[in-house]
Amino acid sequence: KEGLLDACWAGPGQLALVSGDSVVRFSDLADDDNFILALADVPGMEDHSSDKLAGLAYHKEKGLLAASSREGRVVVWQKRSAPADSPEKAWEAIPPVKLDSAAQHMAWSSRDAILSVCTGTSLALLPQTVLKRCMDGSWGLLQAEPSRFHLEHEGGSVLQFTVPIRAVGCAMHQGRIAVWSGCEVLVF
């Protein structure tokens, strides 16, 4: 509709393109094939069908494709293995992140899976977060967000708490909880 807004290589021979609508178009030059990734198929985008994609960024080592939207959302797909006859099934969508305004520029860190997103008013750093969980006896600890946890007992009791760090791991043993980042350990 508006012409090409952004393009990037998203794997060997795979050119990803966005043109102001709700899909990422892929031209697979190696296999002479085309396919799309649609916003409608992304968990959390069901109520945002009018949103349009405007930018792309690809992390080659991690197989992560980020797409920014005009309404200030960033959607990331992670590349997995898929049948050769269905290349679109190789891309698994992660729920979107909402920013204060639309992205003007996106770039992945060369070392880690951290996406920098520059909007007209701010810079957001979006690290890939793998949520952790652990158990000890009849207790379970579940990381709900990078700094928020749920402690649950098999009897149904639930305690929610936050920590002042971006946690990358957790453990429980004999009534103690340990939560840690890359440089700090908290023990409760």
Side-chain angles (χ1 to χ4, degrees):
K1 297 177 183 178
E2 299 177 33
L4 180 64
L5 295 179
D6 203 359
C8 70
W9 292 104
Q14 290 191 343
L15 185 60
L17 309 115
V18 290
S19 56
D21 52 13
S22 61
V23 297
V24 178
R25 288 179 172 73
F26 275 80
S27 290
D28 190 336
L29 304 175
D31 294 330
D32 195 30
D33 193 12
N34 298 304
F35 61 93
I36 63 167
L37 300 177
L39 280 181
D41 298 332
V42 175
M45 289 298 293
E46 299 84 1
D47 297 332
H48 308 288
S49 59
S50 64
D51 206 354
K52 308 299 182 207
L53 296 173
L56 293 170
Y58 182 68
H59 193 297
K60 180 180 176 181
E61 288 77 23
K62 301 285 185 178
L64 298 168
L65 176 67
S68 63
S69 80
R70 290 202 174 134
E71 294 179 9
R73 288 178 188 79
V74 175
V75 176
V76 176
W77 286 270
Q78 179 150 27
K79 192 168 189 178
R80 310 273 190 208
S81 59
D85 62 338
S86 300
E88 66 278 2
K89 291 182 180 173
W91 295 94
E92 180 182 333
I94 299 169
V97 173
K98 177 71 170 123
L99 303 173
D100 62 352
S101 59
Q104 294 179 351
H105 180 73
M106 295 188 304
W108 286 99
S109 163
S110 59
R111 195 181 108 211
D112 298 315
I114 300 175
L115 180 66
S116 65
V117 183
C118 182
T119 69
T121 58
S122 65
L123 172 68
L125 298 177
L126 306 175
Q128 181 182 26
T129 301
V130 178
L131 301 177
K132 304 297 182 182
R133 66 189 184 291
C134 60
M135 293 198 63
D136 185 38
S138 57
W139 291 92
L141 182 64
L142 175 67
Q143 185 179 14
E145 294 177 7
S147 298
R148 190 167 57 90
F149 287 85
H150 295 270
L151 179 63
E152 299 183 19
H153 188 268
E154 66 182 6
S157 301
V158 177
L159 172 68
Q160 296 183 33
F161 65 95
T162 59
V163 294
I165 60 173
R166 180 175 193 80
V168 297
C170 63
M172 289 192 320
H173 185 64
Q174 294 182 345
R176 303 260 190 245
I177 297 172
V179 176
W180 59 90
S181 66
C183 60
E184 188 173 357
V185 177
L186 302 174
V187 179
F188 303 95

